[in-house]
Amino acid sequence: MSRLDLSQKLAILSDAARYDASCASSGTTRRDSRDGKGLGSTEGSGICHAYAPDGRCISLLKILMTNFCIYDCAYCVNRVSSNVQRARFSPDEVVQLTIEFYRRNYIEGLFLSSGIIQSPDKTMEDMLRIAKRLREVENFRGYIHLKTIPDAAPELIEEAGLYADRLSINVELPTDQSVQAYAPEKNPATIRKAMGDVKARKDVAGERSYTGKRGKRFVPAGQSTQMIVGADGSTDATILGQSTMLYGDYKLKRVYYSAFSPIPDATAKLPLIKPPLAREHRLYQADWLLRFYGFGVDEITAARPDGNLDLDIDPKLAWALQNRALFPVNVNRASKEMLLRVPGFGTRTVGRILSTRRYRSLRYDDLLRMGASLKKAQAFITAHDWTPGGLTDSVNLRARFAPPPEQLSLF
Amino acid sequence: MYTVPLPRIGTDLAWRDAAKRLIGAGVSPEDILWDFDNEMGELFAIDTPLPPVTRRIKAPQSFVEMADWVVWHKDPQRFARLYALLWRLRHQPGLMQDRADADLAKLRQMEKGVHRCKHKMKAFVRFRDLRQGGARRSFAAWFEPTHHTVEPTAPFFARRFADMDWMIATPDVTAQFIDGNLTFHPGQPKPDLPEDATEALWGTYFCNIFNPARLKVSAMTSEMPKKYWKNLPEARHIHDLIAGAEAKVQEMRDAAPTLPPERVAKIKRQLRGED
């Protein structure tokens, strides 16, 4: 095999990394390099420096250290039994790419992941070496996200948390059975233990000692995970139930849903379907309702008997249509909790309604200016000059929002 | 009648100072002409000196913050609109909380436009290495902002790229950062920047991080509008990526499953601890 040059390696190892959904670079500590001795800054919200034609943001240099892997996870392009071309970056190459891309303002930082080579500990050590060099030799103050290897020694994961802004460990699939079936070398209990360790360590770092000193900075942007959707038979209710557990028990910052999409040299075990993008989108909407709108999993998934979300309309609208007896709500008097449940009202709109109605009674046009989507909301609210009349309870209300039925193609 | 000259560089402070004096003297909005960067020429210039600062003027903090954004908008009416709202605030102190007021809504919308422009500038400036040698490395970029956002955005670049020298040239204002000092200069035509080999690597990354099975062109263009493409080195690949996406996915589907490579059996034995 001829030696690969840097560009060829980059092609192979970014191709191998594109199935990781996360590219977030937000929510870490504020840092800058005004002292002139380092490079980089992080200021709260991350920046998307480019968008690929798949509509996804490019914020970080998202690459694998190597795509050689000894595991055989059926859904993964890098599994040992696949014949994709393999490559491996040297630590120096990763450091130089990160720094040179950063200096040209292409990226916010590095998202480093890796196939498992030799052993989980060896892989994790190599990743650590890269992160440490970026921080200590290059004085890099931008964002670093490390994908941790769940089976690596806890000390290594702990050290990773000192250099990284975020750590992630993928739960991969929504149920333990699916993980066992499709990722035989991975152990769901080990994954959860690793997440638990990171959480415990982060809790300690957040506490002050009796002298009032804070612990060392430890993964300030928290940890996240990813689940593949559509590779196994899990329902949306199962998936969202799992997310609720992850947010609650492990205080995860984000759970990413990744629609299973065709990969090169796929295994015969998994069909190469069209990626279920609509389903992925509805799951993210539901995830938001769980975290920011006060909904419970049962409420969101009760609309359909099969435990899946309605693909034609968004989950909040689906819930409202099922619970029409609670509507219409009066925007001038309803509680914040109830306003958050109105389809077409986001958290910002609700905030604006609450602040403005202290001064005067709100009208239909006022709501438009506040950014409400009244096409959706109008059937569910009353305002100073608006009542929906019979609209709230009309039989064909759902049809106003759902796309018209598609004719099945015969050929 | 007052004509208030406002410079292109330092617009924010000049507007704030003038507004303070005028509101203090009770000058009503229709008696003021705001002249940005001498755009009115001599025709309407009335050389009345601004009234002196007489007393402390109180304006809600939220207005001051909003004005700091809106002054950079490209709308020629921005100064007059801000002053008109400030005028109304004298008798309607709660006005800033009224998210449904039409004048305020318009200003908030302009604020959002500047916000977005600033954000896109942070995202889409692309530096090229000037390879000049010396203790500090130096880089330069050409950018075309929608609003007058170079001045309020440059400090972000100074905080981020403090260990190198850089210049962001635009048709509006050019920012320069040399040895830790940030300065602003009049805008300029597009400079001839040297080729930078790292752009090809960045293009390679852009093409390979793209997942052809998830083509969603409108999601891309809503966040990265075409008007920015001509100054983004990666954008030259977009056309081919879109055109080839479907064929690539079909190729993956059509490929028959391959036999695992020979090393697999050995690796699996090792993993099970049998070797």
Side-chain angles (χ1 to χ4, degrees), chain B:
Chain B
M1 196 75 187
Y2 292 91
T3 302
V4 184
L6 295 171
R8 188 176 287 269
I9 294 165
T11 318
D12 53 344
L13 298 179
W15 183 83
R16 202 197 284 194
D17 177 67
K20 259 188 218 166
R21 291 166 186 268
L22 292 161
I23 210 92
V27 180
S28 84
E30 52 269 30
D31 291 332
I32 308 169
L33 280 175
W34 301 94
D35 181 17
F36 177 67
D37 198 28
N38 264 322
E39 275 170 0
M40 278 185 193
E42 300 300 310
L43 192 57
F44 296 98
I46 302 162
D47 237 355
T48 322
L50 286 178
V53 184
T54 45
R55 57 193 172 92
R56 249 178 82 85
I57 305 300
K58 270 206 241 166
Q61 185 62 23
S62 52
F63 174 83
V64 177
E65 282 165 15
M66 180 180 75
D68 273 341
W69 287 91
V70 174
V71 287
W72 307 112
H73 200 279
K74 67 173 174 194
D75 182 347
Q77 293 295 309
R78 61 194 180 280
F79 307 113
R81 284 182 189 280
L82 280 171
Y83 190 80
L85 195 83
L86 184 62
W87 185 252
R88 287 180 59 202
L89 273 167
R90 296 175 314 154
H91 303 298
Q92 271 175 275
L95 180 56
M96 288 305 289
Q97 274 72 46
D98 187 346
R99 292 304 309 236
D101 182 84
D103 293 344
L104 179 59
K106 174 72 190 172
L107 285 166
R108 287 286 184 202
Q109 191 197 339
M110 291 166 75
E111 178 188 28
K112 209 169 149 187
V114 178
H115 213 282
R116 186 175 161 86
C117 180
K118 208 174 146 179
H119 190 73
K120 293 300 175 199
M121 182 174 166
K122 290 179 188 175
F124 298 149
V125 161
R126 296 284 182 265
F127 285 118
R128 280 184 170 185
D129 192 347
L130 297 179
R131 305 191 164 279
Q132 284 178 340
R136 287 163 70 88
R137 292 180 63 183
S138 45
F139 292 81
W142 167 250
F143 188 71
E144 289 165 88
T146 311
H147 301 292
H148 305 283
T149 27
V150 176
E151 202 178 327
T153 318
F156 162 82
F157 289 94
R159 291 190 293 274
R160 174 161 287 196
F161 300 109
D163 73 343
M164 61 193 219
D165 293 342
W166 49 262
M167 174 181 81
I168 301 172
T170 84
D172 181 43
V173 169
T174 287
Q176 246 181 341
F177 187 77
I178 290 169
D179 289 329
N181 296 312
L182 180 61
T183 51
F184 298 99
H185 311 272
Q188 59 181 88
K190 186 177 179 179
D192 224 359
L193 299 175
E195 293 294 314
D196 186 333
T198 305
E199 280 185 2
L201 280 174
W202 171 239
T204 301
Y205 177 67
F206 183 79
C207 294
N208 285 281
I209 204 68
F210 162 61
N211 184 349
R214 305 178 51 116
L215 196 63
K216 262 193 196 166
V217 179
S218 63
M220 166 184 66
T221 46
S222 78
E223 294 298 337
M224 196 166 84
K226 283 190 177 162
K227 67 178 175 186
Y228 292 108
W229 289 14
K230 59 179 186 293
N231 295 321
L232 292 170
E234 64 271 29
R236 71 176 76 116
H237 302 287
I238 293 174
H239 177 265
D240 289 352
L241 289 178
I242 295 173
E246 184 137 354
K248 262 198 167 159
V249 179
Q250 198 52 46
E251 203 181 302
M252 292 183 210
R253 288 211 186 89
D254 292 346
T258 53
L259 286 175
E262 279 173 28
R263 62 176 186 277
V264 174
K266 183 162 181 260
I267 292 172
K268 286 200 167 176
R269 272 204 308 281
Q270 273 175 0
L271 264 178
R272 285 194 298 265
E274 289 167 17
D275 268 9

Side-chain angles (χ1 to χ4, degrees), chain A residues 207-216:
Chain A
E207 285 166 11
R208 285 171 193 274
S209 72
Y210 68 96
T211 54
K213 242 173 84 176
R214 255 184 212 287
K216 264 193 192 165

Side-chain angles (χ1 to χ4, degrees), chain A residues 6-7 10-11 14-15 17-19 32-43 46-56 58 60-63 68-72 80-83 86 97 100-108 185 258-259 261-268 272-275 277 280 352 355-356 358-360 362 366 369-370, chain B residues 94-95 97-102 105 112 119-129 131 136-137 139 155-164 196 198-221 223-224 232-234 238 241-242 248-249 252-253 255-261 263-264 267-268 271:
Chain A
L6 184 61
S7 173
L10 179 62
S14 48
D15 198 288
R18 70 181 175 212
Y19 302 97
D32 63 50
S33 55
R34 258 179 298 187
D35 59 8
K37 290 175 192 149
L39 170 70
S41 63
T42 51
E43 309 194 339
I47 297 166
C48 295
H49 284 274
Y51 287 81
D54 52 21
R56 293 194 297 178
I58 299 174
L60 303 171
L61 171 63
K62 185 159 54 174
I63 45 173
F68 283 101
C69 189
I70 55 178
Y71 286 4
D72 201 15
V80 64
S81 59
S82 152
N83 284 293
R86 307 285 171 166
L97 271 176
E100 293 305 313
F101 277 14
Y102 195 90
R103 284 199 185 282
R104 287 161 181 78
N105 203 39
Y106 301 159
I107 52 170
E108 290 291 288
E185 290 87 8
S258 173
S261 82
I263 50 172
D265 196 31
T267 159
L272 288 191
I273 49 165
K274 219 175 158 63
L277 297 183
E280 181 190 278
R352 287 169 186 168
S355 94
T356 304
R358 289 208 299 265
Y359 297 91
R360 57 200 184 75
L362 295 172
D366 296 335
R369 277 194 290 272
M370 292 175 180
Chain B
L95 180 56
Q97 274 72 46
D98 187 346
R99 292 304 309 236
D101 182 84
K112 209 169 149 187
H119 190 73
K120 293 300 175 199
M121 182 174 166
K122 290 179 188 175
F124 298 149
V125 161
R126 296 284 182 265
F127 285 118
R128 280 184 170 185
D129 192 347
R131 305 191 164 279
R136 287 163 70 88
R137 292 180 63 183
F139 292 81
F156 162 82
F157 289 94
R159 291 190 293 274
R160 174 161 287 196
F161 300 109
D163 73 343
M164 61 193 219
D196 186 333
T198 305
E199 280 185 2
L201 280 174
W202 171 239
T204 301
Y205 177 67
F206 183 79
C207 294
N208 285 281
I209 204 68
F210 162 61
N211 184 349
R214 305 178 51 116
L215 196 63
K216 262 193 196 166
V217 179
S218 63
M220 166 184 66
T221 46
E223 294 298 337
M224 196 166 84
L232 292 170
E234 64 271 29
I238 293 174
L241 289 178
I242 295 173
K248 262 198 167 159
V249 179
M252 292 183 210
R253 288 211 186 89
T258 53
L259 286 175
R263 62 176 186 277
V264 174
I267 292 172
K268 286 200 167 176
L271 264 178

Side-chain angles (χ1 to χ4, degrees), chain A residues 166-167 192 195-196 198-204 206-207 219-225 242-255 291:
Chain A
R166 169 167 284 185
L167 294 179
R192 281 195 290 269
M195 289 195 296
V198 171
K199 174 189 170 285
R201 180 66 183 72
K202 186 166 165 54
D203 287 347
V204 172
E207 285 166 11
V219 280
Q223 53 174 339
S224 64
T225 193
Q242 173 81 343
S243 307
T244 309
M245 184 274 289
L246 291 166
Y247 284 126
D249 295 357
Y250 302 100
K251 290 199 199 140
L252 291 196
K253 279 282 156 61
R254 280 293 294 276
V255 175
R291 290 190 294 147

Side-chain angles (χ1 to χ4, degrees), chain A residues 226-356:
Chain A
Q226 168 170 304
M227 256 186 263
I228 295 167
V229 175
D232 66 342
S234 302
T235 64
D236 294 339
T238 309
I239 292 170
L240 292 169
Q242 173 81 343
S243 307
T244 309
M245 184 274 289
L246 291 166
Y247 284 126
D249 295 357
Y250 302 100
K251 290 199 199 140
L252 291 196
K253 279 282 156 61
R254 280 293 294 276
V255 175
Y256 290 93
Y257 308 98
S258 173
F260 179 64
S261 82
I263 50 172
D265 196 31
T267 159
K269 274 196 224 169
L270 288 169
L272 288 191
I273 49 165
K274 219 175 158 63
L277 297 183
R279 187 176 175 201
E280 181 190 278
H281 179 57
R282 295 291 178 226
L283 280 167
Y284 276 120
Q285 289 178 320
D287 187 278
W288 243 251
L289 293 182
L290 294 174
R291 290 190 294 147
F292 307 118
Y293 289 81
F295 281 85
V297 183
D298 302 341
E299 292 180 294
I300 297 176
T301 51
R304 284 163 52 110
D306 63 0
N308 283 322
L309 299 170
D310 194 328
L311 290 182
D312 290 337
I313 55 174
D314 73 75
K316 197 199 230 181
L317 183 59
W319 175 84
L321 289 170
Q322 291 280 317
N323 294 278
R324 294 192 211 186
L326 300 171
F327 296 101
V329 303
N330 182 339
V331 293
N332 286 306
R333 248 174 281 146
S335 67
K336 181 181 177 194
E337 289 69 29
M338 200 56 215
L339 288 173
L340 283 171
R341 292 190 169 229
V342 174
F345 284 6
T347 48
R348 273 198 198 162
T349 304
V350 170
R352 287 169 186 168
I353 290 172
L354 293 173
S355 94
T356 304

